[in-house]
Every structure is written in structure tokens, then in C-alpha cells.
Amino acid sequence: LQAAVLLGLAGLPGAEPTAMASKVARLNFLEGYSYAVYVMQFICYHVWPESKVGLGFFVFLILSAVLAVHLVQKPAERLCSRFPDKLWIAPLAVSAMLGALCLVPDAERNGDIPAWRELEDMVVDLRLPLHMGSGSGRLINPSLLFRKDGTELVLTARRHGVSSERSQSFYDGRQVTLVEDTWHSEIIIGVLNVDELSWNAWLKGGTPMKLPSLSPWAGLRTVNNSKWNNLCVRERWIPENNTLSRLVVTGPEDARVFQRFPDVFGAPGVDVAFNSYPPLGRYGCGKDGAVSQMYLTEGVDPSAPRSPSFGMHLDCGEPDRAEKNWIPFQREGRLHFVYSIQPHVIAEVQAGGRCSKKSYSSFAPLVRLQARQPGLALRGSAQAVLVEDVDATPRLPKPHFLALMHIVDPKTRRYAHFAYRFRSEAPFEVLQVSSQLPLQAAAPEEGGQPFAFASGLALHGQQVVITYAAGDRDPRALVMPLQRLDVMFGDNGANSQDIAFA
């Protein structure tokens, strides 16, 4: 059809052009700009500050193409006609120009949120300058651990990228349309010596701390000593349009770094809890059994990510249900996970990933929230830390655990994040829930509802550091004094208050 339209507009040799061709001929001048638009689209997109483009981008592209035609293309044409014997200079000049353009730094794709923002006195939100030596994808969902009296920082994050492919395939003996989405995922890790002066200057708006280049956690192995890849694939058959939807995840996902025995000074290893599709092969989980599960690796040396470390499956959950967002913490050398927020279910983990027992409790304000809005999901975030500085927490002047939770509306993907406190002794019942944390939300690159996702929690002296990702693209941290966070729990905590989800 397109060829027929072009032939019709071209007309026959020697014949009068058609009325439509005569009208379209007035636009022939645009042909001089078409190639410039084709070439400039890549350069314009490279310097455009956002991955999602709109009308403004196309206006920018057209103006850039017009300038390229009049400042580059037409002057070059005149020079070529005037000095035909000097044409060999042109490719050399273009090569030099393109080489110089490679030196132009990449535009900041997270320009919608400033790198440093003071929300109020001594409460700052800042971008974490995470980077890798090589590899593509976004670094999201950071988790951190301060060790050795705060002089050493262990960092983990998730490298995440998405690709999609549509093709024809066969399913149950019939030809179908296959839509295969691939999540390119891996955990990266690194360690940094913390300079207190540089840290405090960064919090006050100074130069960001220079973080180390994070490395892939290449030493992660299964219990069978094989690499952590070739994970179970999730498939969903859609008979209405004869389509097979397939999700392939290439590696482990969100990590929580913590230390089971933090009082042992100088211990090189840390513990990492993470979720992943089981490494049992493409169809090793059966037709409907490909769901995310929780795993634990102990004694990981963050300075040697290639050293072998083994991930063991935690059997506290259900093998046929997606398991993630568990909150690890230790008490007197015993490892526990917050399995559920409401009811507050605590699982104790024994050797080999076995769960020996669970304790249950309920928190009245959360019960009331679920009764009012039963469609909301209450989930855990990050890791829990023990707070023993009672002078900094006058609203709960006794040792307790501090943790994070989020409330999400699955229909709209709206998130709200809260800190909460639970008792430091079994059954570890919830004591208080804070007001909503002021995390900076951002829209994901593919578009949609702006959101933030909290992924890490740490104490650095009397500072609370909450790490998160804005829009699955911008790794950030919310930092505030422990005393300021205490104010967010109200005069009486949330024991006598309702929890708002707005």
C-alpha cells in the first residue's frame, strides 16, 4: 500500500501531476531535512535529560536538525563543490568531531529529583553515587551496613535491566505468539572506609562521598556448587489472544546485608538475605511453581565478591507462593526474620535454612487499617536494627528493634513507607508505627505511577540511614538523627492512633 501511494504521487513520465501530487509538492523542501532528523535523533536522545520523551523532545529534535542543515550540511555542500580535490578532509574532520562528542558526559537521567535536598534541619535526602566498573542497567534497591564502629561501610544493590522480545513459537502443540520479558538482574557488592569529615560534609550539601566501584557478586553458588543462574522461568498462557507470556530472570534480586554477630570486631564476613527464582533450570519448578523464594548466604567477604559463598533456601514460607520482603535481624546470636507485618509473624532460622518456630502477635492500629481498607497489602522492607540509646528515643525509652514497612495498593501501585518499632524480646510484638516517611517518589522510565521503594536501614552513630530507589532508577538515602525519627512516632506512639494511607 505504501508503494502504491508513492507511485500514485510520483505520476507517469510526461503526464501532468495529479492534484494530490501538486499539493504535496509544496512540502518537497522538507526532503533536505529528513536525513538530518534521522542522524540527530540519536544525539538528541543521548543528551535529553529523561528517558521518557514527549512533545518537547520532538521540538528539540526538529530545531537541532534545522540547525544541522544550515550550519553543517549546506556549508559542507558548498565547500565540496568549490574544492572537489579536498574531499578527503571531510571524513577526517567528521571522525575528529565524533571523537570529541564522545567526551561529552552523559546527561543526568534522574534530573527530576535533585542530588541533594534538605527536607528540614538535619534531615536530608541525597542520591547515592553508585557505579560499576562495567555493565549496563540501573543500580537500584541499595542496602548498607556500617561496621567497625562506623568506620567501614558495606554496600549492596541490584543491577536491573529489562528487555522484551516478541516471536512465534509453539505451546501444547500449537503455534502461538510468544512474548518473552527478560529481567537482567544481579546483586553487586562493595566495601568502603568511611571518612567522618567527608560523610558530614556530604550531608551538609558538600561534595558527595566517592563510593567504590561495586562488583558483581560472582562468587554466589547454589548448594550444589553451581553458578546462580539458569533460574526457573514463569509462564502464563493467555487463550484469548493465543499468547504465551514468559518471564525470564537472569539472577538474584534484592539483597539485605546484615551481620549476625556484630560484636565480633574485625570479622570479615557479612550475611546476605535475598530473593530469587529457584536455580533449578528453566522448567525445574514445574508448570506453575516458578515463584520467588528467600535465600540466605552467611560469611560473605564483601571485599572478595568472587570468593565462593553458598545460598541456602529458607523454608519458612510456602514453596508455591512468592516469598520476598522478609526482614532479617539477630538477637543474642539467633537469626530471625519478620515474615509478616500483620499479623507480626517472626520465624527463627536454624542451620541449613530450617525454621524451628514462629511467634505471632497483632497490633491494633494495623488491624483497624486492614479492616477499613482490606485491599491494601502490608509488607516488610530492609533489615531491622537494635536501638539501645534510650536517651535518643524518649517516646520509647527502652531497647527495641527499629524496622521499616510499606503499605501498597496493588491496583494503583501506590506505596507509603513507615518506620516501626518492635519489642527486643520474644514474641517481638509491634510497639509503635511512625508517620509516613518522606521518601522522594519518581515515575519509572517506562511510565506509570511515581513511587519509591525502601530497601535498606542502618544506624551510623545516632543517625538513621534509610536507603531506597525512586522509580526503579534513582538510588537514594534519607538521613536523619535518631531523635528526629523518634518525633515521628508521636507523643504516645501509634498505640492510640490510626495509621493513615494517603
Side-chain angles (χ1 to χ4, degrees):
L1 177 60
Q2 184 179 13
V5 171
L6 291 174
L7 288 173
L9 292 176
L12 298 175
E16 292 291 329
T18 63
M20 178 62 71
S22 299
K23 294 179 180 179
V24 173
R26 301 171 185 174
L27 302 176
N28 283 348
F29 73 96
L30 293 177
E31 66 182 1
Y33 299 94
S34 61
Y35 189 72
V37 170
Y38 170 73
V39 172
M40 293 301 297
Q41 64 177 322
F42 305 105
I43 298 175
C44 290
Y45 184 75
H46 182 74
V47 300
W48 192 249
E50 297 179 353
S51 297
K52 186 178 180 181
V53 300
L55 179 61
F57 170 78
F58 292 101
V59 172
F60 174 62
L61 172 60
I62 292 171
L63 292 176
S64 300
V66 171
L67 290 174
V69 167
H70 291 282
L71 298 180
V72 179
Q73 180 178 321
K74 290 188 176 181
E77 290 173 352
R78 289 194 293 268
L79 287 173
C80 289
S81 61
R82 187 174 178 182
F83 304 104
D85 58 334
K86 297 291 193 298
L87 291 179
W88 59 271
I89 299 177
L92 295 180
V94 171
S95 299
M97 181 186 68
L98 293 178
L101 288 176
C102 291
L103 301 177
V104 177
D106 290 345
E108 175 54 62
R109 290 295 180 88
N110 296 314
D112 51 340
I113 304 179
W116 180 90
R117 173 181 287 175
E118 186 175 37
L119 304 182
E120 59 180 81
D121 185 34
M122 300 182 70
V123 179
V124 298
D125 186 278
L126 43 84
R127 177 171 299 125
L128 296 176
L130 305 181
H131 61 96
M132 290 181 61
S134 61
S136 60
R138 291 290 183 183
L139 304 185
I140 62 172
N141 299 351
S143 176
L144 49 82
L145 169 70
F146 288 95
R147 302 197 305 170
K148 302 178 181 179
D149 291 332
T151 61
E152 183 180 89
L153 174 62
V154 180
L155 284 160
T156 66
R158 173 184 173 188
R159 185 187 69 86
H160 179 66
V162 178
S163 62
S164 183
E165 183 178 355
R166 188 183 185 94
S167 62
Q168 295 298 309
S169 184
F170 288 90
Y171 179 75
D172 282 349
R174 73 183 78 178
Q175 188 173 14
V176 300
T177 298
L178 172 64
V179 178
E180 183 170 292
D181 295 319
T182 302
W183 289 3
H184 304 275
S185 180
E186 67 178 337
I187 294 172
I188 59 174
I189 192 168
V191 63
L192 167 71
N193 291 324
V194 179
D195 178 72
E196 199 66 24
L197 293 178
S198 299
W199 170 264
N200 291 328
W202 185 21
L203 296 184
K204 295 177 181 178
T207 303
M209 284 183 62
K210 186 176 181 180
L211 301 184
S213 178
L214 303 181
S215 302
W217 188 13
L220 178 61
R221 296 288 190 272
T222 69
V223 292
N224 297 321
N225 200 24
S226 59
K227 291 184 178 181
W228 201 277
N229 52 24
N230 197 20
L231 310 184
C232 290
V233 171
R234 190 180 75 196
E235 292 184 340
R236 182 168 64 96
W237 168 244
I238 309 174
E240 290 79 7
N241 57 3
N242 197 43
T243 299
L244 178 65
S245 175
R246 176 182 295 162
L247 175 65
V248 179
V249 183
T250 62
E253 299 177 57
D254 297 331
R256 312 287 193 250
V257 58
F258 63 102
Q259 196 165 11
R260 188 169 180 179
F261 302 103
D263 296 329
V264 182
F265 185 84
V270 297
D271 304 317
V272 180
F274 61 94
N275 68 288
S276 172
Y277 280 83
L280 301 176
R282 177 176 284 257
Y283 300 109
C285 295
K287 189 173 182 180
D288 301 314
V291 291
S292 181
Q293 294 287 287
M294 288 294 299
Y295 297 85
L296 172 68
T297 302
E298 298 176 310
V300 179
D301 186 351
S303 62
R306 292 185 175 274
S307 298
S309 51
F310 300 91
M312 58 183 176
H313 178 245
L314 299 174
D315 68 357
C316 309
E318 302 295 333
D320 56 352
R321 187 179 72 178
E323 300 287 2
K324 57 194 307 185
N325 298 321
W326 298 3
I327 303 174
F329 68 97
Q330 70 86 22
R331 184 60 171 159
E332 297 177 346
R334 295 184 177 182
L335 177 60
H336 303 80
F337 283 88
V338 178
Y339 176 77
S340 167
I341 298 298
Q342 177 51 44
H344 201 236
V345 180
I346 308 297
E348 182 177 338
V349 178
Q350 302 293 332
R354 295 180 299 104
C355 289
S356 61
K357 60 181 179 180
K358 292 182 179 179
S359 58
Y360 299 79
S361 60
S362 289
F363 186 56
L366 293 178
V367 174
R368 291 196 295 268
L369 174 65
Q370 285 196 318
R372 293 196 311 269
Q373 302 186 60
L376 300 181
L378 281 64
R379 299 169 180 166
S381 299
Q383 56 271 65
V385 294
L386 182 64
V387 177
E388 298 180 290
D389 189 348
V390 296
D391 293 332
T393 58
R395 288 164 178 79
L396 189 59
K398 59 182 178 181
H400 60 273
F401 280 101
L402 176 67
L404 303 179
M405 58 171 280
H406 62 271
I407 302 174
V408 59
D409 185 342
K411 295 181 179 179
T412 62
R413 210 186 178 196
R414 288 191 304 131
Y415 284 79
H417 294 82
F418 304 82
Y420 81 96
R421 294 162 164 171
F422 62 91
R423 195 178 301 277
S424 60
E425 305 293 340
F428 305 106
E429 62 264 41
V430 177
L431 300 174
Q432 297 174 338
V433 176
S434 74
S435 56
Q436 186 172 337
L437 297 171
L439 304 187
Q440 308 299 299
E445 289 186 343
E446 63 272 16
Q449 180 77 24
F451 72 98
F453 183 79
S455 54
L457 173 66
L459 290 179
H460 181 51
Q462 287 195 333
Q463 292 173 331
V464 180
V465 183
I466 299 170
T467 56
Y468 69 99
D472 271 353
R473 57 182 171 88
D474 190 359
R476 304 188 66 86
L478 174 67
V479 185
M480 69 178 74
L482 192 56
Q483 296 92 328
R484 176 61 185 88
L485 181 63
D486 182 70
V487 175
M488 298 182 68
F489 287 92
D491 292 334
N492 300 311
N495 288 298
S496 59
Q497 302 174 8
D498 282 337
I499 298 169
F501 176 70

